[in-house]
Amino acid sequence: AQSVTQLGSHVSVSEGALVLLRCNYSSSVPPYLFWYVQYPNQGLQLLLKYTSAATLVKGINGFEAEFKKSETSFHLTKPSAHMSDAAEYFCAVSSYYGGSQGNLIFGKGTKLSVKP
Amino acid sequence: DVKVTQSSRYLVKRTGEKVFLECVQDMDHENMFWYRQDPGLGLRLIYFSYDVKMKEKGDIPEGYSVSREKKERFSLILESASTNQTSMYLCASRDGNQPQHFGDGTRLSIL
């Protein structure tokens, strides 16, 4: 079975500050891990993905995430927050093996606010 | 670029009505999904489909059914709408083991 825990349903940072959104996963098989972003009244957009290649993954809009197997974590970071980063972020896990195991399991989401 | 189109952005229906939510993808993806999104609960999988005329239940299928008569179209059906089905509904598609692509969502209100 797989699961995802996102620590903190709301995170607030100042513009220019570091963004850190936490995600821990549980998986009995090699995981694929994803971060999606959702802007108000829109669907989900893929930020980045880990699929068993490099453990440090770079995504769009300056975001990156590091896969740490020993800590079962996949935290999302961005060195300097911008007002346009305000959105809801979802971490998700699926199985390397595809099929029904390839379905995404989502965390409950973290809303990021950016203060001027 | 993959395009997943949901037929309505906003929909208001009455209790007991039969409601159809339509989703079309333009990339010949085999896999399609319906989720509902509620505050504090994240996304929960309702149904998914790996091929035409094929469907499997997700985590919360009660009160819903689906139809996939053509590869590009995946419909979600609320047989008899109830107020607890007021939610945001998201459709997604996927090719093989690639990431899912999402539509913009349908915000459904049941009065």
Side-chain angles (χ1 to χ4, degrees):
Chain A
Q2 296 174 304
S3 66
V4 173
T5 301
Q6 290 184 239
L7 298 174
S9 57
H10 289 87
V11 170
S12 182
V13 300
S14 297
E15 194 172 18
L18 171 72
V19 175
L20 171 61
L21 304 182
R22 298 178 189 274
C23 172
N24 287 89
Y25 71 92
S26 170
S27 179
S28 56
V29 297
Y32 281 2
L33 292 158
F34 306 84
W35 276 99
Y36 282 86
V37 60
Q38 185 180 35
Y39 299 103
N41 297 316
Q42 292 187 24
L44 274 68
Q45 179 183 357
L46 181 69
L47 268 181
L48 50 81
K49 61 181 180 181
Y50 166 77
T51 55
S52 75
T55 57
L56 182 62
V57 181
K58 294 189 185 299
I60 61 171
N61 301 338
F63 284 93
E64 63 181 37
E66 187 171 8
F67 172 68
K68 292 188 177 180
K69 185 177 179 180
S70 61
E71 298 177 10
T72 61
S73 69
F74 191 57
H75 301 331
L76 182 71
T77 60
K78 181 174 180 178
S80 177
H82 193 271
M83 297 296 291
S84 61
D85 294 327
E88 190 160 19
Y89 293 79
F90 292 92
C91 182
V93 64
S94 73
S95 165
Y96 167 84
Y97 296 110
S100 62
Q101 297 177 79
N103 289 348
L104 290 173
I105 307 297
F106 285 91
K108 291 188 165 72
T110 298
K111 276 192 178 167
L112 175 67
S113 301
V114 181
K115 298 174 289 189
Chain B
D1 218 14
V2 178
K3 184 81 174 159
V4 179
T5 302
Q6 294 184 232
S7 54
S8 304
R9 292 297 304 275
Y10 301 92
L11 207 54
V12 180
K13 295 292 182 180
R14 297 206 172 272
T15 304
E17 279 192 68
K18 191 169 186 176
V19 180
F20 293 86
L21 303 183
E22 306 287 347
C23 175
V24 177
Q25 50 95 0
D26 67 354
M27 286 301 292
D28 203 36
H29 288 173
E30 292 180 346
N31 309 298
M32 296 188 75
F33 306 83
W34 275 107
Y35 297 87
R36 67 176 281 176
Q37 182 182 10
D38 300 288
L41 297 179
L43 276 75
R44 293 179 291 168
L45 183 63
I46 305 172
Y47 268 96
F48 58 101
S49 169
Y50 288 141
D51 204 349
V52 175
K53 297 190 187 295
M54 180 275 175
K55 60 187 178 186
E56 287 198 32
K57 293 179 180 179
D59 300 318
I60 52 164
E62 297 78 20
Y64 303 94
S65 63
V66 290
S67 172
R68 192 153 180 215
E69 296 295 320
K70 293 185 177 182
K71 194 173 187 180
E72 67 271 17
R73 185 181 297 272
F74 192 35
S75 303
L76 179 69
I77 304 157
L78 285 65
E79 297 290 343
S80 177
S82 64
T83 55
N84 63 12
Q85 292 177 310
T86 291
S87 187
M88 169 74 107
Y89 290 86
L90 290 163
C91 175
S93 72
R94 185 185 81 203
D95 178 33
N97 220 10
Q98 295 302 308
Q100 291 184 17
H101 296 266
F102 285 83
D104 283 337
T106 296
R107 192 167 291 281
L108 176 64
S109 296
I110 307 295
L111 304 179

